[in-house]
Amino acid sequence: MASEGYRVAVVGATGQVGTLMLQLLRERRFSASEIVPFASNRSAGRELGEGLVVRALNDDAVEGFDLAIFSAGGGTSGDWAPRFAAAGALVIDNSSRWRMHDDVPLVVSEVNPDALDVLAADGAHRGIVANPNCSTMQMVVALKPLYDAAGIERLVISTYQAVSGTGRRAVDELLDQAHAILHERDIETPGQYAHQIAFNALPHAGKFADGDDHTDEERKLMNETRKILGDSSIRVSATCVRVPVVTGHSEAVNVQTRDPLAPDEARELLRQAPGVSVLDDPGAALYPHAITAAGSDDVFVGRVRRDPGNERALDLWIVSDNLRKGAATNAVQIAELLHERGLLGARSNHARPAASAA
């Protein structure tokens, strides 16, 4: 099968991340004999170029795929990912629906690829691999070499998250508000956020569940970081802020290590780490920022320095393109890992009983 290519479904193919997934599958020359885009019923029949025509999801449509990559929201993933898996496909899901299930590996390609080994154990998994939250994703790529060298006891995180993480309508709202303000017109009532986002910063990225004083974005950083690094003892404090940036999440991260680690040692570890680019010469105004990260698959790190109040803590500034490495790129990299490990193709020849969505 690998020599001929796999049959691949992309669910949510017309969204920001889904569109980028299709692009990256082509750019990275993933071994696909056929790529089938799926989206909502209203998008069915839409032509996407390269001979791709959008299909609607139905029970017959899930048959015969080796791989299904989802970027369609938790509700769609909860309903349809188990159906693709039961029909024999391995599923890579970009929503939060499956991330914290014990039998679903949560994978960042440079950090914990061995978590995919569970897929080789018959019956020990759902046939689903979860893609982490974009803010968690970029952070753990930078933290992994430090964790391996010195361990991590505690993280204090402040994120500055781009509006594209909310979707295209949020991008449009930011641009419309900025245009109105610059032309001295009243803005329309915000629809995507609780308050005006243009020329503002909102300490409210994500949603507040009833009775919780942390947003779901903050909870994701806490829980997903521990799962990916395989260390439930790490203490995590997070504040997630939405800022008027189109693409590129930025993070200020205070890392308290278990063993001493000097800033110069940390920089060298980061320079050698896969997927990381170090930009760290503040005297020359060289440090990562969202505009330069946009369009890249790397995680950029700079402002590496000692926390003056803690001899075992470092401060880092971490920036990455939230749509690429934070979502689409990692999903395609997981697909490449599945191919390299010989895990694609076999399941589609013998469909399994449907996995429960519970």
Side-chain angles (χ1 to χ4, degrees):
M1 172 64 71
S3 61
E4 300 173 3
Y6 305 105
R7 192 161 184 259
V8 180
V10 177
V11 181
T14 58
Q16 288 185 120
V17 174
T19 299
L20 190 50
M21 286 173 173
L22 291 173
Q23 175 186 326
L24 290 170
L25 286 168
R26 292 190 298 266
E27 288 181 357
R28 296 173 72 95
R29 300 183 181 276
F30 182 74
S31 180
S33 61
E34 182 183 10
I35 298 175
V36 180
F38 289 91
S40 62
N41 288 334
R42 67 178 178 271
S43 295
R46 177 178 166 186
E47 296 184 5
L48 301 180
E50 303 285 335
L52 300 180
V53 179
V54 175
R55 301 184 191 180
L57 288 168
N58 58 61
D59 289 334
D60 293 333
V62 304
E63 299 294 333
F65 288 96
D66 302 294
L67 175 67
I69 308 179
F70 274 68
S71 185
T76 299
S77 294
D79 289 340
W80 288 97
R83 301 188 200 188
F84 274 92
L90 281 175
V91 176
I92 302 169
D93 180 43
N94 194 53
S95 79
S96 61
R97 178 64 179 82
W98 302 100
R99 290 174 186 160
M100 298 311 298
H101 284 252
D102 290 340
D103 53 358
V104 174
L106 181 64
V107 177
V108 178
S109 61
E110 301 91 344
V111 178
N112 63 333
D114 290 345
L116 295 172
D117 290 346
V118 69
L119 301 176
D122 193 41
H125 59 89
R126 292 177 180 264
I128 300 171
V129 181
N131 214 30
N133 183 51
C134 46
S135 297
T136 307
M137 182 108 58
Q138 68 184 63
M139 183 180 69
V140 296
V141 171
L143 292 181
K144 173 64 171 174
L146 309 185
Y147 179 83
D148 287 347
I152 292 175
E153 288 187 345
R154 186 168 190 256
L155 300 167
V156 181
I157 308 156
S158 296
T159 71
Y160 307 87
Q161 297 180 216
V163 296
S164 57
T166 308
R168 284 176 176 158
R169 291 180 181 177
V171 174
D172 291 341
E173 183 163 284
L174 167 61
L175 298 179
D176 289 346
Q177 289 178 358
H179 187 268
I181 293 168
L182 290 172
H183 288 82
E184 299 181 332
R185 297 199 300 263
D186 291 337
I187 67 169
E188 296 183 3
T189 302
Q192 298 302 304
Y193 301 114
H195 304 281
Q196 171 188 319
I197 185 61
F199 307 102
N200 202 5
L202 305 178
H204 182 177
K207 300 176 181 178
F208 288 99
D210 290 343
D212 195 349
D213 55 4
H214 287 79
T215 69
D216 56 357
E217 287 283 306
E218 291 158 354
R219 292 294 181 190
K220 290 171 191 175
L221 275 167
M222 297 173 193
N223 298 327
E224 294 176 18
T225 298
R226 297 185 187 110
K227 180 173 180 178
I228 294 165
L229 293 178
D231 189 340
S232 61
S233 71
I234 299 173
R235 292 170 290 152
V236 184
S237 174
T239 301
C240 292
V241 182
R242 192 71 66 181
V243 294
V245 170
V246 173
T247 301
H249 287 354
S250 303
E251 299 171 337
V253 182
N254 181 272
V255 186
Q256 180 176 318
T257 57
R258 298 186 189 280
D259 301 323
L261 186 65
D264 285 345
E265 293 177 282
R267 287 189 199 92
E268 188 56 33
L269 290 167
L270 289 162
R271 288 190 183 100
Q272 296 175 12
V276 176
S277 290
V278 176
L279 302 176
D280 197 8
D281 186 357
L286 180 63
Y287 36 72
H289 48 101
I291 293 174
T292 53
S296 172
D297 291 323
D298 278 358
V299 172
F300 296 87
V301 184
R303 299 295 317 278
V304 181
R305 60 203 187 278
R306 172 69 62 210
D307 175 350
N310 188 334
E311 64 181 12
R312 285 193 292 110
L314 299 172
D315 286 305
L316 311 176
W317 179 250
I318 303 168
V319 183
S320 190
D321 185 323
N322 54 294
L323 300 179
R324 291 186 70 97
K325 182 54 186 174
T329 300
N330 194 68
V332 176
Q333 288 173 319
I334 291 172
E336 293 167 346
L337 287 170
L338 294 172
H339 165 65
E340 291 167 6
R341 291 167 179 245
L343 295 170
L344 287 176
R347 297 181 79 250
S348 59
N349 295 325
H350 53 284
R352 296 168 179 245
S356 169

